Amino acid sequence: MDAARLVEQYRRGDFLFATARRTVLARGIEDEITGTDEDALAGRVATALADRGGGIAAGVLPYDAPAGTPARLVVPQATHTAGPAHPGVGRLTRERIGAPAAVRPVPEPRGHTDAVRTAVTELAVRDLRKVVLARALDVEFTHEVPVASIVRNLVLDHRHGYVFGAELPGGRTLLGASPELLVSRRGDRVVAHPYAGSMPRSADTTTDTANAEALLTSKKDRLEHAILTEAVTEALRPFCRDLDVPAEPSLERTPAMWHLGTRITGQLADPATTALHLASALHPTPAICGTPVDSARRLIGELEPFDRDYYAGATGWVDADGDGEWTVSIRCADAGATSLRMYAGGGIVADSDPQAELDETSAKFATLARAMGLDTDSLVH
């Protein structure tokens, strides 16, 4: 079965992870492993897969497990894998999504710019180098949220990203198209590809090129990216016998955004360290929380008017050999029966501009808005 067929077969309740390297579709529940101690969870998963003699565990890690939101991984009854989604994606049909009945920003735009101003002041007061603030859009439908159709459209739009659909506790679904690889492990090879620093894409070629060049030379964005790369490198160092960290970031693109990215590679020191161990050790990174992490988390809790739950956590899978792939759960939505909550955030450093930060989150909402056939401007203004 090829990748496009797996995408066509995905339904709410399944696990789908479609990337430029492989596509995984998992169905049914052989075993469910949950908990708030993620390090212990990785050991429990490894034991469960060893006892079964193989297979995978797939699911989600929350943004803040210590606060009580549990990780959820499922050992499926059936797993299907194929190559990258993009070679056969052209035969997929784009799905039409009915217009929502209502859209409500959380907070209102003015509330987000006020929060950014407060965060800039608090950076110095709390000795923070960076904090990430998010906002949300609550989208209400008169019909059931067409989760499978939105995921299919995301695959069509993001052939080189990480498209996912994963069940959450309570029957909700986390769906999205993240540009950012948190970590992958294949044998003793470890790869992380952190993103930080953003600029919107433009349909106008001249403007789009200018935005890319501005991002490459932006002092603010390069500082934000350097903070992230340093943190990811230090988190991986205890697990790797050597690491290769490029001196300069590269320019990365998605349909909606330009980003600065750094591809970090390493050789695993201990073969007992699984992809899930690595993912648990890495997140939350400064890309979605800030640094120092504990202080940034506290400030986020004071300034954001919602709980993040599984937004800014991680989604992925791990197999019995310890190999696996995990993406940062951004450009995503938490979907219930007839409503969903979309999230978008941005990194705040000392010279952040509140209006520019608001505009950045608006641009990031375009990932899901396009998949739902919605005009971004009508959603965020």
Side-chain angles (χ1 to χ4, degrees):
M1 191 180 303
D2 68 10
R5 182 63 176 152
L6 295 185
V7 175
E8 288 175 330
Q9 290 195 354
Y10 167 76
R11 298 291 182 269
R12 184 195 281 261
D14 298 339
F15 173 87
L16 181 76
F17 198 76
T19 79
R21 196 169 79 174
R22 68 165 56 84
T23 301
V24 177
L25 176 67
R27 289 188 148 162
I29 301 175
E30 187 74 29
D31 192 10
E32 183 174 345
I33 305 169
T34 65
T36 56
D37 184 339
E38 291 180 359
D39 198 44
L41 187 83
R44 289 167 56 200
V45 168
T47 298
L49 294 178
D51 289 346
R52 292 185 79 241
I56 72 166
V60 292
L61 305 179
Y63 161 70
D64 191 3
T69 303
R72 180 183 188 267
L73 286 100
V74 167
V75 177
Q77 292 174 336
T79 303
H80 307 279
T81 61
H86 62 273
V89 78
R91 77 162 191 267
L92 294 177
T93 302
R94 192 168 193 89
E95 300 286 332
R96 292 179 60 86
I97 311 297
V103 178
R104 182 174 66 90
V106 184
E108 294 289 337
R110 175 65 180 273
H112 187 71
T113 55
D114 287 346
V116 172
R117 290 188 184 91
T118 300
V120 169
T121 300
E122 290 297 316
L123 289 176
V125 173
R126 306 190 189 202
D127 197 26
L128 284 163
R129 297 178 68 192
K130 173 186 174 181
V131 67
V132 178
L133 290 183
R135 65 189 185 111
L137 294 176
D138 284 345
V139 183
E140 301 284 343
F141 294 89
T142 56
H143 52 80
E144 184 177 354
V145 178
V147 166
S149 296
I150 297 172
V151 169
R152 182 180 299 187
N153 290 348
L154 287 170
V155 171
L156 283 165
D157 292 341
H158 298 270
R159 305 185 187 191
H160 302 288
Y162 300 85
V163 177
F164 53 88
E167 284 306 280
L168 301 177
R172 301 180 69 84
T173 302
L174 187 70
L175 58 93
S178 176
E180 187 173 354
L181 173 67
L182 178 64
V183 69
S184 69
R185 174 199 186 272
R186 189 175 186 182
D188 67 353
R189 180 174 171 79
V190 175
V191 180
H193 199 164
Y195 280 32
S198 305
M199 194 73 71
R201 301 294 307 277
S202 173
D204 178 77
T205 303
T206 301
T207 302
D208 195 46
T209 301
N211 285 353
E213 293 174 351
L215 178 60
L216 275 174
T217 58
S218 166
K219 180 181 177 182
K220 180 260 183 187
D221 289 288
R222 289 182 73 93
L223 171 61
E224 186 182 340
H225 188 77
I227 291 170
L228 170 61
T229 302
E230 175 188 310
V232 171
T233 301
E234 292 310 305
L236 284 176
R237 198 176 298 282
F239 301 100
C240 297
R241 57 169 51 99
D242 59 56
L243 285 170
D244 179 22
V245 185
E248 292 289 321
S250 57
L251 197 60
E252 311 286 348
R253 75 182 77 188
T254 73
M257 303 295 295
W258 288 105
H259 293 285
L260 296 178
T262 296
R263 185 178 175 84
I264 301 169
T265 59
Q267 186 177 16
L268 197 65
D270 181 356
T273 302
T274 71
L276 182 53
H277 284 110
L278 295 170
S280 298
L282 279 169
H283 96 285
T285 72
I288 47 81
C289 181
T291 185
V293 168
D294 289 342
S295 296
R297 232 189 213 139
R298 284 193 291 272
L299 183 56
I300 289 167
E302 294 170 19
L303 295 178
E304 289 182 357
F306 50 77
D307 292 328
R308 290 189 175 186
D309 293 331
Y310 296 91
Y311 163 67
T315 304
W317 59 272
V318 62
D319 68 16
D321 293 327
D323 292 344
E325 199 166 25
W326 291 82
T327 189
V328 182
S329 300
I330 53 176
R331 314 296 150 80
C332 64
D334 179 336
T338 59
S339 66
L340 60 80
R341 170 168 281 185
M342 301 164 54
Y343 297 93
I348 313 302
V349 293
D351 58 353
S352 289
D353 173 72
Q355 184 59 48
E357 296 298 336
L358 180 71
D359 293 343
E360 179 178 324
T361 58
S362 297
K364 289 175 177 176
F365 281 129
T367 295
L368 276 163
R370 176 177 168 80
M372 291 190 289
L374 302 175
D375 175 63
T376 308
D377 289 341
S378 69
L379 282 176
V380 298
H381 299 296

